[in-house]
Amino acid sequence: PRVELPDGSKRTIEVPWSGRLRGFTLMMEAYVFLLVANGMTFAEAARISGVTAYQARKIILVHTEEAIEQQDLSEVRHLAIDETSVARGQEYVTISADADRRRVIDIQPGRSHQTMAMLSLRLKECAGSAEQISDVCIDMWPAYKKGVRECFPNATVTIDKYHVIHHANNAVDVTRRQEQRNKGGLKGLRWILVKASERLTVLERQAIDPLIHYPGRSRTARAWHYKEELRAILQRKQPNVVRQMLDQWCRRVSRSKVEAMKIVAQMIRRHFDSIVQWTRSRITNGFIESLHSKFQAAKRKAHGFRDFRTIRAMYFMLAGRLDFQFLDSISPT
């Protein structure tokens, strides 16, 4: 409805049940929002609700952005930061999360050190500050380490053990492929060799027993033993013990003939203190890695998300733990 004011102008009355988009009620927007939040694509939600896919996407963006702006980040102390590819080629986004509450708090395009500056601004806008951050968990990407050093003066960098073990697993596989080309006999063992030893089934253990029981005969076997030793070291909780054992491991590997594992030892040397810090902080960004798989599944189902705002909204919907107040306002009393 519209009213005419004394000066002759006309103004539309805002009713409590009106939605954010013109022509929609709040109930209708909530219906579309819940369809997408429960796993439907924009096109599927549009077919069921009778709106267009563009309108469904717009509803998600409007309400997600409102909830993002209302986040309170005053209690964030520990950050987990990781990147993921969002398109073919080298197009990335950086995801930042509250490591304690496991919720996404910021997403920025790219993976340069400037993303850390944008994250510090985001904290300031939401009642937080860069100075309150005491620990940041990142991977080995140099730009992130530089950004943390410049933007978070009180933060200690942690590189969690899962990134280190990932590189060790890659070294085992590289060694296996090289030996398979030269000698053969290692086909079909890829996933067994990179699996944690305590998780091997009886059949998997039987498949690699002849190999690992005689490590002197195979560089792949030696690489596997180095990987398992590294896992055992990083599972310990005493920083001084881990520091000493990790130093000894790097020395031993550097004198070996397993070239791929030597590269891992050199990488550990470059990030030695940050890797040892894992034993103190125990901060991990593993939950962000699991979030990537959920996002990639949603992206494949929707045949890709091309717009950064859509990517940002979907990540926040999956793991932002946002307070969508408009859903509460329409619930029955």
Side-chain angles (χ1 to χ4, degrees):
R2 292 184 298 173
V3 295
E4 186 172 348
L5 300 180
D7 60 2
S9 62
K10 295 181 180 180
R11 183 172 299 176
T12 303
I13 297 175
E14 293 292 337
V15 293
W17 60 85
S18 64
R20 298 295 182 270
L21 271 65
R22 185 175 180 181
F24 285 85
T25 64
L26 202 58
M27 180 72 79
M28 184 63 180
E29 290 183 354
Y31 177 51
V32 175
F33 186 93
L34 290 173
L35 290 176
V36 177
N38 282 279
M40 289 190 179
T41 64
F42 298 140
E44 290 171 341
R47 282 196 297 270
I48 292 177
S49 61
V51 303
T52 66
Y54 172 81
Q55 289 171 329
R57 171 182 169 274
K58 190 70 175 177
I59 289 170
I60 300 301
L61 293 181
V62 168
H63 289 288
T64 304
E65 288 295 335
E66 284 187 3
I68 291 172
E69 292 175 0
Q70 295 169 2
Q71 271 190 315
D72 182 6
L73 305 181
S74 60
E75 297 182 359
V76 177
R77 297 294 180 270
H78 305 141
L79 293 175
I81 300 171
D82 198 17
E83 84 282 350
T84 187
S85 173
V86 294
R88 293 180 179 178
Q90 299 296 318
E91 189 174 344
Y92 294 89
V93 295
T94 296
I95 296 95
S96 304
D98 180 351
D100 297 321
R101 295 167 182 79
R102 299 200 167 196
R103 56 170 179 160
V104 173
I105 63 172
D106 190 37
I107 298 176
Q108 295 293 337
R111 55 172 182 167
S112 68
H113 69 279
Q114 295 175 347
T115 58
M116 299 297 103
M118 300 302 296
L119 174 57
S120 65
L121 290 176
R122 164 87 176 137
L123 287 168
K124 187 176 180 180
E125 292 171 354
C126 297
S129 68
E131 289 73 18
Q132 74 189 34
I133 304 302
S134 61
D135 292 277
V136 179
C137 181
I138 57 175
D139 56 20
M140 286 81 164
W141 186 241
Y144 286 162
K145 206 164 188 178
K146 177 183 177 183
V148 171
R149 188 170 57 250
E150 292 178 351
C151 301
F152 300 99
N154 301 325
T156 303
V157 173
T158 295
I159 294 176
D160 70 76
K161 68 175 183 179
Y162 302 104
H163 283 97
V164 181
I165 299 302
H166 173 73
H167 285 278
N169 281 332
N170 287 342
V172 172
D173 189 51
V174 168
T175 306
R176 182 198 63 83
R177 283 189 275 115
Q178 291 173 346
E179 203 161 29
Q180 170 65 21
R181 286 195 297 266
N182 297 332
K183 299 180 181 179
L186 299 175
K187 191 172 182 180
L189 298 180
R190 176 183 180 183
W191 300 114
I192 301 176
L193 289 170
V194 301
K195 194 174 181 180
S197 59
E198 66 271 11
R199 296 175 57 193
L200 293 173
T201 65
V202 174
L203 292 177
E204 290 171 340
R205 173 64 71 174
Q206 291 174 352
I208 64 171
D209 269 350
L211 176 71
I212 64 177
H213 279 174
Y214 301 97
R217 299 180 183 178
S218 169
R219 291 185 181 178
T220 301
R222 289 200 294 274
W224 184 88
H225 280 283
Y226 288 143
K227 182 259 294 185
E228 288 300 313
E229 290 173 4
L230 182 61
R231 288 184 61 252
I233 292 171
L234 294 178
Q235 285 174 352
R236 301 181 72 95
K237 297 181 179 181
Q238 306 89 343
N240 292 335
V241 174
V242 171
R243 180 179 293 275
Q244 182 179 359
M245 295 181 69
L246 200 57
D247 179 68
Q248 293 173 353
W249 184 90
C250 290
R251 290 175 184 271
R252 190 166 63 257
V253 171
S254 298
R255 292 193 297 267
S256 73
K257 295 182 180 180
V258 185
E259 299 299 327
M261 199 61 75
K262 282 184 178 181
I263 297 174
V264 176
Q266 294 169 2
M267 178 202 69
I268 291 175
R269 287 290 190 193
R270 291 194 300 271
H271 304 279
F272 197 85
D273 291 337
S274 298
I275 293 172
V276 174
Q277 179 63 22
W278 150 258
T279 62
R280 298 188 181 92
S281 66
R282 295 285 165 171
I283 300 175
T284 178
N285 53 14
F287 69 96
I288 301 183
E289 298 287 351
S290 64
L291 175 61
H292 294 336
S293 62
K294 293 180 182 179
F295 173 78
Q296 295 297 337
K299 187 173 74 170
R300 285 192 298 271
K301 187 177 180 182
H303 302 290
F305 298 128
R306 300 176 184 176
D307 180 65
F308 172 72
R309 290 182 63 204
T310 306
I311 294 170
R312 185 168 184 260
M314 293 304 296
Y315 261 106
F316 271 102
M317 281 187 64
L318 286 171
R321 298 192 179 183
L322 300 175
D323 182 14
F324 295 105
Q325 297 178 357
F326 80 106
L327 293 176
D328 297 331
S329 67
I330 63 171
S331 60
T333 56

